[in-house]
Amino acid sequence: MTGIVVLGSTNMDLVAYVAHAPKRGETVTGREFRTIPGGKGANQAVAAARAARSGGDVAMIGAVGSDDFGVRLRQTLVSSGVDTEHLRTAEGPSGTAHIVVDHEGGNAIVVIPGANGTVTSLTPGDEARIAAADSLLLQLELPLTAVLDGAEAARRHGVRTVLTPAPAQPLPPELLAVTDLLVPNEHEAAILAGVADPHIAAEALLLQVPEVVITLGAAGCLYASRETEPFAVPAPRVRAVDTTAAGDTFVGALAVALGEGRPMQQALTWASTAAALCVQRHGASTSMPYRTEIDATETGAS
Ligand code: ADP
């Protein structure tokens, strides 16, 4: 086996669209309600499977609940071609994110980890699957013990670890010590480095990890490594309608391109094309592009 393993979360996003978010004690009537399969781990897995030559090259390790949401969360991954053999079904509720979106697009979110909280360590089978991969993609929506377990297993087997440090929080040095490529957005980079300027933040983060990509929304991304001079990659100029999962699409496509042996600059440009396609559509997994679209858009642009 080759390819990409994602060790991460699956959440059902329960989204209420309202004119104004209710204040404490207030009840408001909303406009619309949607249930959208998400979770940063699942989003990265779907993005990578769609960007890969064959979706079966992407496997997901994590857990869904034994409820109806769990069935749908698993189905969403399977229908994108993600291998779910190592996705457990934990007795109890799936992870949920309760999201209120107001008329200005602002949101307030409550995340309840549910089944994700049961993933505290890896099984021997999980480790064997990681060992057979090129890259392990990690985020911070599972218990840190599992994230650290996964990263250490990957390091033992010479598998590249790609960490998206979201939701933003200070990280234990042991985790950074086994991270090969750190991909924070601007906000996460500022929290980790303790400084807002992305160039200075990247330099500071290189003291802890060998390679960093800081994503900068519509401004593209900044790459820095211990080996080469830093460089920026601009984002394609597009009309963004919904930036949900832009970062996850970016990481999924980046891992695919690196796994195919493309040089970093080329891989980042391809990932930027994928993320720019994502922001022009609504939703999370619904907005992620397939490989053919990414290739066609990049060829059209050059
Ligand atoms: P996150 O979604 O994790 O907050 P960013 O907002 O930095 O991360 O976006 C990740 C990547 O998605 C960016 O580096 C860029 O390539 C792409 N992207 C985000 N917003 C836009 C936009 N408005 N136009 C074009 N590309 C975008």
Side-chain angles (χ1 to χ4, degrees):
M1 268 181 278
T2 56
I4 294 166
V5 173
V6 180
L7 171 61
S9 60
T10 58
N11 282 327
M12 188 60 82
D13 293 349
L14 311 174
V15 192
Y17 298 89
V18 297
H20 300 281
K23 295 187 184 60
R24 186 176 188 189
E26 187 187 3
T27 300
V28 299
T29 300
R31 185 166 48 78
E32 195 189 343
F33 173 71
R34 285 192 210 166
T35 53
I36 306 172
K40 293 195 79 64
N43 286 346
Q44 292 191 358
V46 170
R50 291 189 182 177
R53 283 209 173 82
S54 146
D57 287 347
V58 180
M60 172 95 198
I61 301 174
V64 297
S66 56
D67 52 4
D68 291 347
F69 289 155
V71 174
R72 201 167 141 214
L73 288 168
R74 183 181 295 277
Q75 232 163 30
T76 302
L77 290 162
V78 169
S79 64
S80 287
V82 176
D83 170 1
T84 59
E85 192 190 330
H86 295 271
L87 184 69
R88 301 164 209 173
T89 300
E91 199 51 47
S94 295
T96 47
H98 305 249
I99 307 174
V100 176
V101 180
D102 66 29
H103 75 292
E104 290 171 329
N107 59 34
I109 306 179
V110 176
V111 174
I112 299 180
N116 297 301
T118 68
V119 185
T120 50
S121 60
L122 297 186
T123 65
D126 295 339
E127 174 153 357
R129 185 63 189 86
I130 291 170
D134 300 317
S135 300
L136 176 67
L137 308 190
L138 303 149
Q139 322 75 34
L140 302 174
E141 288 186 342
L142 291 185
L144 261 183
T145 49
V147 177
L148 185 57
D149 238 27
E152 285 175 345
R155 177 57 60 90
R156 271 196 296 283
H157 298 286
V159 175
R160 178 196 293 115
T161 53
V162 181
L163 174 64
T164 303
Q169 57 192 274
L171 289 179
E174 313 89 90
L175 179 57
L176 289 168
V178 286
T179 297
D180 295 313
L181 173 59
L182 186 69
V183 191
N185 66 16
E186 203 169 2
H187 166 67
E188 291 145 9
I191 288 182
L192 287 178
V195 43
D197 182 301
H199 293 268
I200 301 172
E203 236 171 79
L205 292 171
L206 285 183
L207 297 174
Q208 294 174 287
V209 295
E211 288 185 288
V212 181
V213 176
I214 301 181
T215 63
L216 305 167
C221 65
L222 175 69
Y223 172 77
S225 90
R226 288 178 186 163
E227 307 289 319
T228 56
E229 286 296 306
F231 60 82
V233 175
R237 284 173 67 93
V238 297
R239 205 176 75 81
V241 297
D242 181 356
T243 58
T244 308
D248 295 328
T249 302
F250 181 92
V251 169
L254 177 63
V256 167
L258 293 175
E260 291 171 1
R262 301 196 211 181
M264 186 55 82
Q265 183 138 21
Q266 214 183 310
L268 289 170
T269 303
W270 199 68
S272 305
T273 303
L277 283 166
C278 166
V279 303
Q280 293 174 75
R281 303 168 194 161
H282 287 282
S285 53
T286 40
S287 66
M288 291 169 179
Y290 288 86
R291 185 180 184 91
T292 45
E293 293 174 85
I294 308 171
D295 281 342
T297 307
E298 200 171 57
T299 312
S302 60

